[in-house]
Amino acid sequence: MTTILLLSGPNLDQLGVRSPEIYGTETLDDHVERVRRAGEALGYEVLHRQSNFEGDLIEVIHEAAETSAIVINAGALTHTSWALADALASYPGVVIEVHLSNPAAREPFRHTSTLAAVVDGTIAGFRGLSYDLALEAAHRLLTANGR
Ligand code: DQA
């Protein structure tokens, strides 16, 4: 079965209570379950990992070589982590960057993504729907690549 890894960075475990006016009221588990069900309907196994630690996320990426795609919300590491970008650059599959909010419309420090150059594309600003659209984008690219 084709596997998609959903990867969540720092503070995303706080969704539901963290700035609901920006990120919505759904929890990370809500998003993961929705993506898992949608993925299954498309024939994918969806795995999820969350960590508040940069090194943990990098190791998960290193160990994900057998998966076909990564959908990553790296949280604030999006704006700072060249190490995460390097890890993703070595990953052979499809990579979709996803954000609940639209970082480009927020504080200046959120306007830069260190990941942008190494991902296939970015979906941002649709709150929970961003995850559904990111899964759809991964599916379309995998299908175009013959999976
Ligand atoms: C986020 C946007 C980041 O700027 C922020 O640090 C997050 C969440 C989003 O999903 O909108 O933690 O990635």
Side-chain angles (χ1 to χ4, degrees), residues 18-38:
R18 175 191 180 202
S19 306
E21 70 285 2
I22 297 173
Y23 301 117
T25 54
E26 287 176 290
T27 65
L28 185 57
D29 281 348
D30 293 333
H31 297 305
V32 170
E33 269 321 297
R34 212 177 53 255
V35 171
R36 202 190 300 278
R37 270 186 271 112

mmCIF file of all heavy atoms in Angstrom, residues 18-38:
data_model
loop_
_atom_site.group_PDB
_atom_site.id
_atom_site.type_symbol
_atom_site.label_atom_id
_atom_site.label_comp_id
_atom_site.label_asym_id
_atom_site.label_seq_id
_atom_site.Cartn_x
_atom_site.Cartn_y
_atom_site.Cartn_z
ATOM 1 N N ARG A 18 -4.760 26.607 21.163
ATOM 2 C CA ARG A 18 -3.774 27.604 20.766
ATOM 3 C C ARG A 18 -4.373 28.563 19.735
ATOM 4 O O ARG A 18 -4.734 28.151 18.630
ATOM 5 C CB ARG A 18 -2.584 26.870 20.148
ATOM 6 C CG ARG A 18 -1.534 27.775 19.579
ATOM 7 C CD ARG A 18 -0.535 26.971 18.760
ATOM 8 N NE ARG A 18 0.473 27.842 18.208
ATOM 9 C CZ ARG A 18 1.215 27.555 17.144
ATOM 10 N NH1 ARG A 18 1.059 26.394 16.527
ATOM 11 N NH2 ARG A 18 2.087 28.402 16.690
ATOM 12 N N SER A 19 -4.469 29.842 20.073
ATOM 13 C CA SER A 19 -4.926 30.892 19.154
ATOM 14 C C SER A 19 -6.019 30.402 18.198
ATOM 15 O O SER A 19 -5.823 30.411 16.974
ATOM 16 C CB SER A 19 -3.737 31.413 18.324
ATOM 17 O OG SER A 19 -2.694 31.825 19.146
ATOM 18 N N PRO A 20 -7.173 30.033 18.741
ATOM 19 C CA PRO A 20 -8.228 29.492 17.861
ATOM 20 C C PRO A 20 -8.702 30.497 16.817
ATOM 21 O O PRO A 20 -9.190 30.086 15.755
ATOM 22 C CB PRO A 20 -9.361 29.124 18.833
ATOM 23 C CG PRO A 20 -9.052 29.828 20.106
ATOM 24 C CD PRO A 20 -7.573 30.022 20.164
ATOM 25 N N GLU A 21 -8.519 31.802 17.101
ATOM 26 C CA GLU A 21 -8.923 32.811 16.121
ATOM 27 C C GLU A 21 -8.031 32.766 14.877
ATOM 28 O O GLU A 21 -8.415 33.242 13.809
ATOM 29 C CB GLU A 21 -8.923 34.215 16.764
ATOM 30 C CG GLU A 21 -7.565 34.811 17.100
ATOM 31 C CD GLU A 21 -6.875 34.195 18.339
ATOM 32 O OE1 GLU A 21 -7.419 33.250 18.946
ATOM 33 O OE2 GLU A 21 -5.768 34.657 18.676
ATOM 34 N N ILE A 22 -6.849 32.172 15.018
ATOM 35 C CA ILE A 22 -5.925 32.038 13.870
ATOM 36 C C ILE A 22 -5.981 30.626 13.287
ATOM 37 O O ILE A 22 -6.030 30.448 12.069
ATOM 38 C CB ILE A 22 -4.468 32.354 14.298
ATOM 39 C CG1 ILE A 22 -4.361 33.801 14.756
ATOM 40 C CG2 ILE A 22 -3.488 32.071 13.143
ATOM 41 C CD1 ILE A 22 -3.002 34.157 15.350
ATOM 42 N N TYR A 23 -5.974 29.635 14.185
ATOM 43 C CA TYR A 23 -5.818 28.255 13.718
ATOM 44 C C TYR A 23 -7.100 27.425 13.735
ATOM 45 O O TYR A 23 -7.090 26.290 13.277
ATOM 46 C CB TYR A 23 -4.742 27.547 14.570
ATOM 47 C CG TYR A 23 -3.393 28.224 14.498
ATOM 48 C CD1 TYR A 23 -2.801 28.790 15.627
ATOM 49 C CD2 TYR A 23 -2.708 28.320 13.282
ATOM 50 C CE1 TYR A 23 -1.570 29.415 15.560
ATOM 51 C CE2 TYR A 23 -1.469 28.947 13.202
ATOM 52 C CZ TYR A 23 -0.909 29.498 14.348
ATOM 53 O OH TYR A 23 0.310 30.120 14.261
ATOM 54 N N GLY A 24 -8.185 28.012 14.268
ATOM 55 C CA GLY A 24 -9.429 27.268 14.354
ATOM 56 C C GLY A 24 -9.519 26.469 15.651
ATOM 57 O O GLY A 24 -8.590 26.471 16.465
ATOM 58 N N THR A 25 -10.609 25.792 15.829
ATOM 59 C CA THR A 25 -10.873 25.091 17.097
ATOM 60 C C THR A 25 -10.644 23.583 16.997
ATOM 61 O O THR A 25 -10.712 22.882 18.004
ATOM 62 C CB THR A 25 -12.332 25.330 17.551
ATOM 63 O OG1 THR A 25 -13.204 24.972 16.476
ATOM 64 C CG2 THR A 25 -12.566 26.787 17.932
ATOM 65 N N GLU A 26 -10.374 23.088 15.821
ATOM 66 C CA GLU A 26 -10.131 21.651 15.687
ATOM 67 C C GLU A 26 -8.771 21.281 16.288
ATOM 68 O O GLU A 26 -7.816 22.057 16.212
ATOM 69 C CB GLU A 26 -10.175 21.232 14.218
ATOM 70 C CG GLU A 26 -11.585 21.222 13.631
ATOM 71 C CD GLU A 26 -11.551 20.907 12.156
ATOM 72 O OE1 GLU A 26 -11.089 21.775 11.392
ATOM 73 O OE2 GLU A 26 -11.978 19.814 11.779
ATOM 74 N N THR A 27 -8.703 20.099 16.850
ATOM 75 C CA THR A 27 -7.429 19.620 17.400
ATOM 76 C C THR A 27 -6.604 18.972 16.289
ATOM 77 O O THR A 27 -7.119 18.678 15.200
ATOM 78 C CB THR A 27 -7.671 18.568 18.497
ATOM 79 O OG1 THR A 27 -8.276 17.416 17.889
ATOM 80 C CG2 THR A 27 -8.585 19.117 19.592
ATOM 81 N N LEU A 28 -5.321 18.712 16.616
ATOM 82 C CA LEU A 28 -4.475 18.016 15.636
ATOM 83 C C LEU A 28 -5.069 16.633 15.325
ATOM 84 O O LEU A 28 -5.085 16.217 14.164
ATOM 85 C CB LEU A 28 -3.049 17.891 16.177
ATOM 86 C CG LEU A 28 -2.030 17.282 15.213
ATOM 87 C CD1 LEU A 28 -1.949 18.067 13.908
ATOM 88 C CD2 LEU A 28 -0.656 17.203 15.884
ATOM 89 N N ASP A 29 -5.565 15.965 16.364
ATOM 90 C CA ASP A 29 -6.184 14.646 16.132
ATOM 91 C C ASP A 29 -7.356 14.744 15.149
ATOM 92 O O ASP A 29 -7.556 13.851 14.326
ATOM 93 C CB ASP A 29 -6.692 14.047 17.450
ATOM 94 C CG ASP A 29 -5.574 13.442 18.268
ATOM 95 O OD1 ASP A 29 -4.466 13.282 17.731
ATOM 96 O OD2 ASP A 29 -5.821 13.126 19.446
ATOM 97 N N ASP A 30 -8.132 15.817 15.252
ATOM 98 C CA ASP A 30 -9.248 16.009 14.307
ATOM 99 C C ASP A 30 -8.720 16.061 12.871
ATOM 100 O O ASP A 30 -9.258 15.407 11.972
ATOM 101 C CB ASP A 30 -10.005 17.317 14.600
ATOM 102 C CG ASP A 30 -10.752 17.299 15.920
ATOM 103 O OD1 ASP A 30 -11.126 16.198 16.380
ATOM 104 O OD2 ASP A 30 -10.980 18.388 16.490
ATOM 105 N N HIS A 31 -7.668 16.859 12.667
ATOM 106 C CA HIS A 31 -7.113 16.983 11.304
ATOM 107 C C HIS A 31 -6.546 15.644 10.823
ATOM 108 O O HIS A 31 -6.757 15.229 9.693
ATOM 109 C CB HIS A 31 -6.014 18.047 11.266
ATOM 110 C CG HIS A 31 -6.498 19.421 11.590
ATOM 111 N ND1 HIS A 31 -7.529 20.032 10.908
ATOM 112 C CD2 HIS A 31 -6.105 20.306 12.539
ATOM 113 C CE1 HIS A 31 -7.740 21.235 11.418
ATOM 114 N NE2 HIS A 31 -6.898 21.426 12.401
ATOM 115 N N VAL A 32 -5.824 14.976 11.740
ATOM 116 C CA VAL A 32 -5.179 13.711 11.354
ATOM 117 C C VAL A 32 -6.234 12.677 10.981
ATOM 118 O O VAL A 32 -6.102 11.986 9.968
ATOM 119 C CB VAL A 32 -4.290 13.187 12.508
ATOM 120 C CG1 VAL A 32 -3.811 11.769 12.216
ATOM 121 C CG2 VAL A 32 -3.107 14.114 12.720
ATOM 122 N N GLU A 33 -7.288 12.585 11.770
ATOM 123 C CA GLU A 33 -8.312 11.578 11.498
ATOM 124 C C GLU A 33 -9.010 11.837 10.165
ATOM 125 O O GLU A 33 -9.307 10.914 9.398
ATOM 126 C CB GLU A 33 -9.337 11.532 12.642
ATOM 127 C CG GLU A 33 -8.962 10.543 13.711
ATOM 128 C CD GLU A 33 -8.362 9.244 13.161
ATOM 129 O OE1 GLU A 33 -9.056 8.505 12.425
ATOM 130 O OE2 GLU A 33 -7.164 8.977 13.434
ATOM 131 N N ARG A 34 -9.280 13.133 9.899
ATOM 132 C CA ARG A 34 -9.929 13.494 8.628
ATOM 133 C C ARG A 34 -9.035 13.124 7.445
ATOM 134 O O ARG A 34 -9.482 12.542 6.459
ATOM 135 C CB ARG A 34 -10.235 14.999 8.636
ATOM 136 C CG ARG A 34 -11.459 15.386 7.877
ATOM 137 C CD ARG A 34 -11.747 16.867 7.979
ATOM 138 N NE ARG A 34 -10.622 17.711 7.627
ATOM 139 C CZ ARG A 34 -9.880 18.370 8.509
ATOM 140 N NH1 ARG A 34 -10.134 18.317 9.784
ATOM 141 N NH2 ARG A 34 -8.858 19.095 8.101
ATOM 142 N N VAL A 35 -7.734 13.466 7.567
ATOM 143 C CA VAL A 35 -6.797 13.159 6.468
ATOM 144 C C VAL A 35 -6.637 11.646 6.330
ATOM 145 O O VAL A 35 -6.586 11.113 5.218
ATOM 146 C CB VAL A 35 -5.428 13.848 6.707
ATOM 147 C CG1 VAL A 35 -4.395 13.368 5.700
ATOM 148 C CG2 VAL A 35 -5.588 15.356 6.639
ATOM 149 N N ARG A 36 -6.608 10.959 7.473
ATOM 150 C CA ARG A 36 -6.449 9.497 7.418
ATOM 151 C C ARG A 36 -7.628 8.861 6.666
ATOM 152 O O ARG A 36 -7.437 8.012 5.798
ATOM 153 C CB ARG A 36 -6.386 8.928 8.847
ATOM 154 C CG ARG A 36 -5.706 7.573 8.924
ATOM 155 C CD ARG A 36 -5.863 6.924 10.277
ATOM 156 N NE ARG A 36 -5.320 7.677 11.393
ATOM 157 C CZ ARG A 36 -4.028 7.679 11.742
ATOM 158 N NH1 ARG A 36 -3.146 6.984 11.055
ATOM 159 N NH2 ARG A 36 -3.628 8.367 12.781
ATOM 160 N N ARG A 37 -8.819 9.314 6.976
ATOM 161 C CA ARG A 37 -10.011 8.740 6.322
ATOM 162 C C ARG A 37 -10.036 9.082 4.830
ATOM 163 O O ARG A 37 -10.305 8.232 3.991
ATOM 164 C CB ARG A 37 -11.293 9.232 7.002
ATOM 165 C CG ARG A 37 -11.715 8.310 8.142
ATOM 166 C CD ARG A 37 -13.058 8.673 8.738
ATOM 167 N NE ARG A 37 -12.882 9.639 9.817
ATOM 168 C CZ ARG A 37 -13.277 10.898 9.795
ATOM 169 N NH1 ARG A 37 -13.914 11.379 8.755
ATOM 170 N NH2 ARG A 37 -13.074 11.699 10.824
ATOM 171 N N ALA A 38 -9.722 10.353 4.514
ATOM 172 C CA ALA A 38 -9.707 10.771 3.100
ATOM 173 C C ALA A 38 -8.615 10.008 2.347
ATOM 174 O O ALA A 38 -8.801 9.599 1.189
ATOM 175 C CB ALA A 38 -9.488 12.275 2.998
#
